[in-house]
């Protein structure tokens, strides 16, 4: 393995529009395309190959590869501008690397098939907006699209704190400052404290990973800023439950009150193949913080939230995962069998039949 071969492999990934590349000792590189993992016809990778790839990535990040590391997040860029989010890790004593392709273009809501209500949500004067979903289901892309919308429509000072920086922005109507953990700042919590002294209107935190970061984000939202972030949760109720669960039991009552006051919306995503199997479509749950939902958060009635999202579809442009699945089925973009694979609901067929009748 040398720089030329690595660059060729990564350029192929861009040309073939794969989402991820896997480099592990004893196997050839794997590509993930349209949700499927594809084994390449390249030679099996050696210990020296993966060490070379990891070292090359870290050199570009102006960091050494520690001899005792367990896992490291980084980014990597090709000379032509192609970018990757990188996870370097140990497995059975060897080094493994997974590289996520970052699209060179930040898509609009229309291009990404996202609900246009996200633009209205993004223009909230302050509070906390969370984009959630499993790994690889479009959280970063959706968040980037919302920031693009603000950059093009509002005169804000936007500060992003990421690990690593993924999408690169050029300031338009807004001024955008992008800081990377490990290079520009020590950690999320320290960067958040510094951000409050940088005259921010909007703060984007790449991920809520720990109690300190969550508490700092809540405080930033309470002091009049608009804060965006992500979580690896699958619905509005599970997102709220996860946030509250990070705090000690004796603090959870107060956190419910604080969260009810500052939560603007949650946007939960899953990707699903369309009927042709050639492209992935987002299935989106949108919860907006109405007075009814605020009461559910304060009183711990999280199991009622999905019902209120469903009932708020016409007035507040909210939607549950199942409501969006039904819509995609009616538009004949996906099949019913595909829809059933990504919902835990046992009555999707009834909902689809009921909607068709009325």
């Amino acid at each position: 393995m040398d720089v030329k071969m690595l660059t060729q492999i990564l350029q192929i990934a861009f040309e073939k529009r794969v989402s991820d590349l896997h480099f592990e000792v004893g196997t050839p590189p794997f590509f993930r395309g349209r949700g499927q993992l594809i084994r390449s016809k390249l030679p099996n990778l050696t210990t020296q190959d993966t060490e070379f790839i990891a070292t090359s990535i870290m050199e570009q990040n102006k960091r050494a590869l520690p001899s005792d590391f367990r896992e490291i997040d980084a980014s990597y860029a090709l000379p032509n501008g192609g970018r990757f989010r990188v996870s370097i890790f140990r497995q059975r004593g060897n080094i493994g690397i997974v590289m996520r392709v970052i699209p060179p273009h930040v898509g609009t809501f229309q291009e990404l098939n996202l609900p246009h209500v996200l633009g209205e949500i993004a223009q909230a004067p302050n509070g906390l907006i969370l984009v959630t979903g499993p790994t690889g289901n479009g959280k970063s892309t959706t968040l980037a699209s919302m920031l693009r919308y603000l950059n093009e429509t509002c005169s804000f000072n936007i500060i992003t704190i990421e690990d690593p920086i993924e999408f690169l922005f050029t300031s338009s109507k807004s001024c955008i400052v992008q800081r990377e953990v490990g290079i520009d700042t020590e950690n999320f919590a320290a960067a958040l404290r510094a951000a409050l002294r940088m005259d921010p209107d909007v703060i984007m935190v790449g991920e809520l990973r720990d109690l300190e970061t969550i508490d700092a984000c809540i405080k930033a939202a309470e002091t009049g800023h608009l804060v965006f972030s992500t979580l690896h949760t699958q619905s509005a109720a599970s997102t709220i439950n996860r946030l509250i669960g990070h705090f000690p039991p004796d603090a959870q009552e107060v956190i419910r009150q604080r969260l009810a006051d500052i939560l603007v919306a949650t946007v939960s995503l899953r990707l699903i193949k369309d009927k042709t199997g050639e492209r992935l479509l987002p299935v989106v749950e949108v919860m907006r913080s109405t007075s009814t939902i605020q009461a559910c958060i304060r009183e711990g009635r999280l199991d009622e939230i999905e019902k209120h999202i469903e009932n708020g579809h016409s007035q507040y442009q909210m939607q549950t995962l199942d409501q969006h699945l039904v819509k995609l089925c009616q538009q004949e973009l996906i099949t019913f069998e595909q829809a059933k694979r990504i919902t835990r609901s046992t009555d999707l067929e009834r909902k689809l039949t009921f909607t068709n009748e009325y």
Side-chain angles (χ1 to χ4, degrees):
M1 179 70 68
D2 56 23
V3 173
K4 184 178 178 181
M5 179 178 289
L6 176 61
T7 300
Q8 287 176 340
I9 293 171
L10 298 182
Q11 285 176 338
I12 289 170
F14 263 94
E15 291 167 8
K16 299 297 184 182
R17 297 187 177 183
V18 304
S19 62
D20 300 88
L21 299 94
H22 295 246
F23 299 99
E24 295 189 25
V25 173
T27 68
F30 278 78
F31 299 87
R32 185 177 294 279
R34 303 189 186 99
Q36 300 296 316
L37 204 59
I38 303 162
R39 185 186 182 100
S40 74
K41 296 180 180 179
L42 296 166
N44 287 353
L45 295 165
T46 66
T47 300
Q48 292 74 23
D49 289 332
T50 59
E51 287 179 354
F52 173 81
I53 295 169
T55 301
S56 299
I57 291 165
M58 296 305 294
E59 283 178 353
Q60 191 180 93
N61 285 264
K62 298 179 181 178
R63 289 189 280 172
L65 186 67
S67 59
D68 60 347
F69 86 96
R70 297 292 185 271
E71 54 274 320
I72 297 175
D73 292 327
S75 60
Y76 191 75
L78 293 171
N80 65 3
R83 285 176 53 77
F84 301 82
R85 185 181 72 201
V86 185
S87 175
I88 305 172
F89 53 89
R90 294 276 184 189
Q91 59 102 14
R92 292 185 297 173
N94 293 313
I95 293 175
I97 303 107
V98 176
M99 302 182 72
R100 164 65 54 86
V101 177
I102 300 172
H105 167 73
V106 179
T108 63
F109 299 141
Q110 183 173 358
E111 289 167 344
L112 297 172
N113 297 294
L114 293 168
H116 288 280
V117 70
L118 298 192
E120 187 177 323
I121 289 170
Q123 292 188 82
N126 52 62
L128 179 63
I129 297 172
L130 298 173
V131 180
T132 78
T135 300
N137 276 257
K139 295 187 297 298
S140 298
T141 304
T142 300
L143 203 51
S145 185
M146 295 174 83
L147 292 182
R148 170 183 170 164
Y149 179 83
L150 290 180
N151 189 28
E152 293 176 345
T153 59
C154 302
S155 298
F156 288 156
N157 183 28
I158 301 172
I159 298 169
T160 78
I161 306 164
E162 304 172 69
D163 184 18
I165 291 172
E166 296 189 41
F167 293 91
L168 296 177
F169 287 94
T170 300
S171 297
S172 180
K173 286 193 72 174
S174 289
C175 173
I176 300 186
V177 174
Q178 294 184 265
R179 307 190 70 204
E180 182 165 326
V181 172
I183 296 177
D184 304 311
T185 183
E186 185 178 350
N187 53 52
F188 281 117
L192 266 164
R193 288 192 295 271
L196 295 177
R197 299 189 294 270
M198 296 166 63
D199 186 33
D201 298 295
V202 176
I203 303 171
M204 189 276 272
V205 178
E207 185 182 343
L208 296 183
R209 294 180 179 175
D210 52 57
L211 175 58
E212 189 178 12
T213 304
I214 292 169
D215 191 48
C217 282
I218 292 175
K219 287 176 180 174
E222 288 174 328
T223 53
H225 304 92
L226 182 60
V227 180
F228 290 84
S229 194
T230 70
L231 271 175
H232 294 284
T233 48
Q234 297 194 28
S235 67
S238 63
T239 298
I240 295 164
N241 198 43
R242 174 77 62 83
L243 287 177
I244 294 169
H246 270 87
F247 290 83
D250 60 350
Q252 291 182 3
E253 176 67 27
V254 173
I255 289 302
R256 279 200 296 270
Q257 309 303 317
R258 294 172 68 192
L259 200 55
D261 289 338
I262 55 97
L263 187 62
V264 174
T266 65
V267 179
S268 302
L269 296 145
R270 295 291 298 274
L271 292 179
I272 188 171
K273 284 186 180 180
D274 71 355
K275 267 189 172 180
T276 68
E278 293 298 311
R279 63 176 182 149
L280 294 170
L281 297 173
V283 186
V284 190
E285 178 198 83
V286 179
M287 185 209 77
R288 304 178 74 178
S289 188
T290 64
S291 57
T292 303
I293 287 175
Q294 285 177 329
C296 288
I297 297 171
R298 287 192 183 98
E299 298 165 18
R301 295 182 283 112
L302 302 185
D303 57 330
E304 298 178 19
I305 286 179
E306 185 171 6
K307 177 185 68 178
H308 294 306
I309 295 173
E310 194 170 280
N311 293 338
H313 180 66
S314 57
Q315 185 175 359
Y316 300 106
Q317 294 178 275
M318 293 195 280
Q319 64 185 22
T320 63
L321 189 79
D322 282 2
Q323 282 177 314
H324 198 188
L325 284 171
V326 166
K327 181 180 179 182
L328 292 173
C329 285
Q330 289 174 328
Q331 294 172 333
E332 298 187 347
L333 293 173
I334 63 172
T335 66
F336 176 67
E337 291 303 316
Q338 288 170 318
K340 283 200 300 184
R341 291 193 187 103
I342 69 165
T343 178
R344 290 172 292 178
S345 172
T346 56
D347 60 350
L348 182 64
E349 189 169 9
R350 179 192 63 78
K351 291 177 182 178
L352 183 59
T353 303
F354 180 82
T355 305
N356 287 337
E357 288 177 351
Y358 292 92

